[in-house]
Amino acid sequence: MSDADFVRETPAPARHVHSLMVIDDSAVQRQHTASLCRALGVDVVYEACHGRDALDQLALLCLPPDLLLVDLHMPVMDGVELITQLQSLGLAIPLLIVSSQQTGILTAVEDLARTLQLPLLGSLAKPVHPQALAHALQQYDSALAHCVAQRHPQPRPPITAADLCGAIDAGQIDVHYQPKVDMRTGLPRGMEVLARWTHPEYGRIGPDQFIALAEAENLIHDLTLAVLDRATQQAAAWRAHGFTPSLAINLSPCLLNTPQVVSDIARTTAKHQIAPQQLVLEVTESAGVAHLGQAIALLTRLRLQGFGLSLDDYGTGFSSMQQLARLPFTELKIDRSFVHGAHARRNLSVILESALDMAHRMSLTSVAEGIETLEDWRLLQRHGCSVGQGYLIAKPMPAEAMPDWLRQHRTRLPQLRASAVTQAPHPRSLAPALDSSARAVIAAPMCLTST
Ligand code: G
Ligand code: G
Ligand code: MN
């Protein structure tokens, strides 16, 4: 079908794209794109030959266009500078990148737009194909709604330190568990413990909100112990049924300057007869630690007691190597920003591979968080990652949901494991080493109750 035929047979784009501006230094490309837009039913099509020209024209318009189609490589002002200028001028006009640049550059531009909170709807290859353009215009409403939702998250309820303090004291901080599974066998190895708070008036409050409040208001110590107490009590109940997953507790970097936390953690764990070896403390590397000396001492003392230590969100901090070399970590937990989608993005998979290689050389358990698809899972499996966590396996869930999840997860083991048999690099270690505790639980998940 010719371009003209296609355009004739294609339904008009969503009503909302009345006007747009094509910004491209190549007159041929610009006119090609502009005429396609007109043919697809866009009423007003402006044309600009570089970023500066676009800004000059925008300054004269009473109403900005609904969409900017932006080429990247242009003289005078390129597409990247145009994007940063739009942001500083407060012009949040939806953008569609139209470029022949390689995916690495397009990905960087997408990241830039996201960082600047500009509504980038996607990118099109040059020369613009009518079908791709029609699709992008038809998706305009939904793509824009998605960007806007990301930029304007739900308004946050006005919770106070007194609310949170009251909730901790009243035992209203609940915990959810997200499974961490062995990437060779698919079997559950542990659970990350995640704090949850349902406020009687405001409903569910996100941990990103109340953890930050707890850190700012000196409540993080009490909150962490409340979470640990809940989780170790649950672990004791699970153990009674033969299920002994390791538990990963998040330890805020703010606590690393409180020496007392070591004995508090040890006491709470011992209270439910849970061995320190069954616990991993996840410390995020993204936050700076105020007194490094004190932090090293505290983490070393925890390690001496037998607790595992995980460097959480690895790759997002500033001094990964330095921290790893100085602190007695047992586990490296690779941040989800390097995990999800790595199979399609070469830059991410390179970072991922080198993190896994380093973990292996330092004899650290490697954990990948944020595995959302089977493609993510397979890539990590191929590169020998030991433990995986993410929505593909399970979302965080209350303890009551665990028996059902275990039962349903059992049916997925062949799928998860099969790819290991064909693709993992060390076939000798692949004998399906079914851990007897997990096998017992999978065989009889109904006996698991929550406390
Ligand atoms: O599921 P998720 O939205 O639960 O968690 C959001 C963030 O809150 C994560 O970075 C997680 O590490 C953090 N978080 C959840 N529970 C706790 C906790 O008990 N202590 C600390 N310090 N952070 C937590
Ligand atoms: O920062 P921390 O590593 O503790 O992160 C835990 C957070 O990650 C929790 O908010 C949890 O809900 C979230 N999480 C877990 N698995 C996935 C996943 O597959 N995708 C995404 N986007 N988030 C996840
Ligand atoms: Mn964590």
Side-chain angles (χ1 to χ4, degrees), residues 37 106 120 143 161 216 288 294 312 317 362 392 435 440 445:
C37 292
L106 289 178
L120 176 62
Q294 277 189 19
D312 203 356
M362 295 180 90
L392 173 74
D435 161 65

Side-chain angles (χ1 to χ4, degrees), residues 180 192-194 248-251 282-284 310 312-313 333 369 389:
K180 294 163 102 172
E192 175 167 3
V193 178
L194 294 155
I249 304 275
N250 289 287
L251 196 63
E282 296 190 358
V283 187
T284 180
S310 176
D312 203 356
D313 305 326
K333 194 164 178 190
E369 65 173 24
Q389 177 183 355

Side-chain angles (χ1 to χ4, degrees), residues 86-158:
L86 287 169
Q87 200 259 353
S88 47
L89 292 167
L91 288 171
I93 307 172
L95 303 164
L96 197 60
I97 303 294
V98 178
S99 174
S100 45
Q101 299 295 328
Q102 66 214 36
T103 43
I105 293 183
L106 289 178
T107 308
V109 174
E110 281 170 21
D111 285 347
L112 170 70
R114 208 173 303 126
T115 307
L116 297 178
Q117 304 209 318
L118 289 175
L120 176 62
L121 306 186
S123 51
L124 295 177
K126 274 216 263 186
V128 173
H129 193 274
Q131 225 156 345
L133 179 64
H135 181 74
L137 295 181
Q138 277 157 8
Q139 299 294 309
Y140 177 84
D141 282 341
S142 59
L144 190 58
H146 180 71
C147 289
V148 169
Q150 284 191 331
R151 278 192 303 141
H152 303 288
Q154 296 290 310
R156 304 188 145 204

Side-chain angles (χ1 to χ4, degrees), residues 192 194-196 207 211 220 227 250 252:
E192 175 167 3
L194 294 155
R196 294 288 179 265
I211 298 290
I220 190 69
V227 166
N250 289 287
S252 163

Side-chain angles (χ1 to χ4, degrees), residues 173-437:
I173 301 296
D174 201 359
V175 297
H176 279 192
Y177 300 85
Q178 188 180 31
K180 294 163 102 172
V181 303
D182 187 300
M183 292 207 70
R184 286 195 303 253
T185 61
L187 288 171
R189 282 258 293 252
M191 307 284 161
E192 175 167 3
V193 178
L194 294 155
R196 294 288 179 265
W197 180 20
T198 306
H199 189 279
E201 192 180 336
Y202 304 123
R204 273 175 66 161
I205 308 208
D208 49 336
Q209 192 181 356
F210 69 82
I211 298 290
L213 180 68
E215 288 175 339
E217 299 287 343
N218 243 334
L219 293 167
I220 190 69
H221 182 258
D222 291 353
L223 175 76
T224 304
L225 290 181
V227 166
L228 178 64
D229 190 48
R230 273 283 170 116
T232 44
Q233 190 182 358
Q234 182 61 57
W238 278 335
R239 184 186 48 205
H241 296 289
F243 186 39
T244 51
S246 78
L247 293 183
I249 304 275
N250 289 287
L251 196 63
S252 163
C254 301
L255 286 172
L256 299 183
N257 301 129
T258 314
Q260 192 207 335
V261 89
V262 176
S263 52
D264 289 341
I265 290 176
R267 190 169 8 83
T268 308
T269 309
K271 183 171 132 194
H272 301 292
Q273 286 98 45
I274 297 299
Q277 288 73 16
Q278 206 184 324
L279 228 73
V280 178
L281 299 164
E282 296 190 358
V283 187
T284 180
E285 73 150 5
S286 50
V289 172
H291 304 287
L292 194 58
Q294 277 189 19
I296 296 174
L298 188 145
L299 290 170
T300 307
R301 287 170 55 221
L302 283 168
R303 186 71 205 110
L304 276 173
Q305 303 237 3
F307 294 101
L309 294 179
S310 176
L311 184 56
D312 203 356
D313 305 326
Y314 178 78
T316 57
F318 298 101
S319 55
S320 317
M321 289 305 295
Q322 198 189 353
Q323 295 215 23
L324 263 183
R326 297 171 84 164
L327 297 170
F329 284 105
T330 54
E331 179 181 290
L332 188 70
K333 194 164 178 190
I334 302 167
D335 189 70
R336 62 171 174 262
S337 57
F338 300 105
V339 171
H340 176 53
H343 65 92
R345 289 170 69 170
R346 178 86 189 123
N347 291 358
L348 295 188
S349 67
V350 169
I351 295 173
L352 198 59
E353 267 174 65
S354 64
L356 290 170
D357 183 52
M358 190 181 58
H360 181 69
R361 285 163 187 243
M362 295 180 90
S363 304
L364 301 172
T365 302
S366 47
V367 182
E369 65 173 24
I371 301 181
E372 295 190 10
T373 63
L374 212 49
E375 283 93 348
D376 296 338
W377 172 267
R378 295 229 156 93
L379 179 84
L380 286 149
Q381 213 167 31
R382 253 197 326 270
H383 292 306
C385 183
S386 335
V387 177
Q389 177 183 355
Y391 295 163
L392 173 74
I393 304 301
K395 292 196 166 171
M397 67 187 100
E400 308 85 84
M402 197 57 71
D404 273 349
W405 176 76
L406 284 166
R407 196 180 309 109
Q408 169 257 314
H409 182 68
R410 181 192 184 188
T411 64
R412 293 179 69 197
L413 287 178
Q415 180 197 31
L416 297 175
R417 200 166 44 214
S419 55
V421 172
T422 51
Q423 300 185 29
H426 311 296
R428 235 156 44 81
S429 59
L430 288 176
L434 283 177
D435 161 65
S436 61
S437 132

